[in-house]
Amino acid sequence: MRVAVIGASGRIGREVGAVLKDKGHEVVEITRAGGVDVYTGEGLAAALTGVDVVVDAANTPVVDTAAVTDFFATVARTVQRTASAAGVRRIAVVSIIGIDVFSEGHYAGKLAHERAYAEGPVPVRVLRAAQFHEFTEMMLGWTTDGDTAFVPEFRAQLVAARTAAEHLAELAVADDAPDRVDLAGPHAVNLAEAAAKVAARRGHPARVEQVFNADDPNQRPQAEGALLPGPDAILDGPTLDEWLDEHYPVR
C-alpha cells in the first residue's frame, strides 16, 4: 500500500513511517522541508498522486488558541480537499485523549483538527493517544530554570511514541477498523513525579517541583485527570520504568 505521512520528520510521523516500511508499505514522506506545505496546499496534489492512505501526524509549535485552531482546521480542510481529488481511500489522524473539555491552546487546535476532518468527503479514522513518555523530556525542557524544573500539576497515562505509531499505522492500513481508537499506557502517573524520574536518570535538572497555575484555563482539568483514558481505551506498554531502562540505561 502507498501511504503518505504528513509530518514525517516529526516525533510521531518518523516512527509511523518506520513502522509502515517495516511492514512492507511504500511511504511518501510529506514535510515542508521536502517542498510540501499542507497549510497552503503547495505541492500536496503532486505528493498524493497514487496514494492509497494518508496519515496526518502534523504538528505546530504555535500555542495561541486562535492561531493553533486556524492551523489545524486549515490543514484538515486542505488535506481533505486534495486527498479527495487524488482518490485517496482514507485518512488516519493522531489526536489526544480527553480534549473535548478543553477550549484553549493546543487541545482546542486538535479538536478543531478532528472536526474539520470529519466534515470532509474522505473517510477518517482517529487515534486519540495519551501524552507520550517523551512528553516528560519536553516538559523538563520547557520548565527548567537553573537547576529546577517547575512542572504543572497534571495527571496522565503516558504511552510510548513508538507504541502510538504502531497503533496509528495499523489503524491507517487495516481493511476494517473503528472510526476512533483511544490509546494510553498501562498506568496513570503524576507528571511531575514522572518528570522527576527522567531527570534523575539523565542527571538534570537537579530538582523537579510541581506547580499550579490558576491563570491557565487548562490547568484544573489537567490536574483533575481530564486527559486520562476512559474504560474503552486500549492500554499498551511499555511502562515508564521500562521506557526509561531502554532510553536511559543505568550504567
Side-chain angles (χ1 to χ4, degrees):
M1 188 175 289
R2 185 174 171 87
V3 184
V5 178
I6 297 171
S9 60
R11 184 184 302 277
I12 188 70
R14 192 166 53 242
E15 295 280 9
V16 171
V19 171
L20 289 167
K21 289 175 184 177
D22 286 347
K23 293 183 177 295
H25 298 285
E26 180 184 357
V27 174
V28 178
E29 297 183 353
I30 294 183
T31 65
R32 185 171 294 177
V36 182
D37 188 326
V38 291
Y39 182 85
T40 65
E42 181 181 358
L44 186 58
L48 295 187
T49 301
V51 164
D52 301 296
V53 175
V54 171
V55 174
D56 187 345
N59 206 354
T60 176
V62 175
V63 295
D64 173 75
T65 300
V68 74
T69 299
D70 171 71
F71 172 81
F72 279 119
T74 300
V75 166
R77 296 186 185 107
T78 301
V79 173
Q80 267 283 14
R81 182 174 60 252
T82 312
S84 177
V88 170
R89 291 160 51 187
R90 61 179 164 269
I91 301 167
V93 184
V94 64
S95 191
I96 307 170
I97 276 179
I99 55 175
D100 304 272
V101 302
F102 293 88
S103 60
E104 300 289 334
H106 192 77
Y107 304 129
K110 289 303 294 182
L111 194 57
H113 201 206
E114 290 185 21
R115 288 172 174 170
Y117 264 122
E119 293 170 355
V122 181
V124 176
R125 297 172 181 173
V126 177
L127 176 72
R128 279 191 168 188
Q131 286 66 37
F132 304 143
H133 291 315
E134 292 83 353
F135 184 58
T136 56
E137 300 169 310
M138 297 167 64
M139 187 60 69
L140 289 173
W142 293 333
T143 66
T144 296
D145 184 5
D147 66 351
T148 304
F150 299 91
V151 176
E153 187 175 351
F154 193 131
R155 294 184 66 210
Q157 198 148 325
L158 303 176
V159 66
R162 179 71 179 198
T163 301
E166 290 168 352
H167 283 268
L168 183 57
E170 180 180 355
L171 191 65
V173 301
D175 290 333
D176 186 25
D179 293 337
R180 176 178 143 188
V181 172
D182 288 4
L183 173 70
H187 307 296
V189 299
N190 173 286
L191 186 62
E193 293 174 359
K197 281 189 173 185
V198 175
R201 186 65 68 93
R202 71 184 194 180
H204 63 89
R207 301 173 59 222
V208 175
E209 292 186 12
Q210 179 173 280
V211 296
F212 187 94
N213 180 6
D215 294 329
D216 180 356
N218 290 335
Q219 176 71 93
R220 186 165 298 282
Q222 287 176 169
E224 293 177 348
L227 295 169
L228 293 174
D232 296 328
I234 296 171
L235 306 184
D236 200 355
T239 65
L240 176 63
D241 289 340
E242 291 168 339
W243 179 86
L244 278 170
D245 287 341
E246 178 182 354
H247 288 79
Y248 296 98
V250 177
R251 302 186 187 282

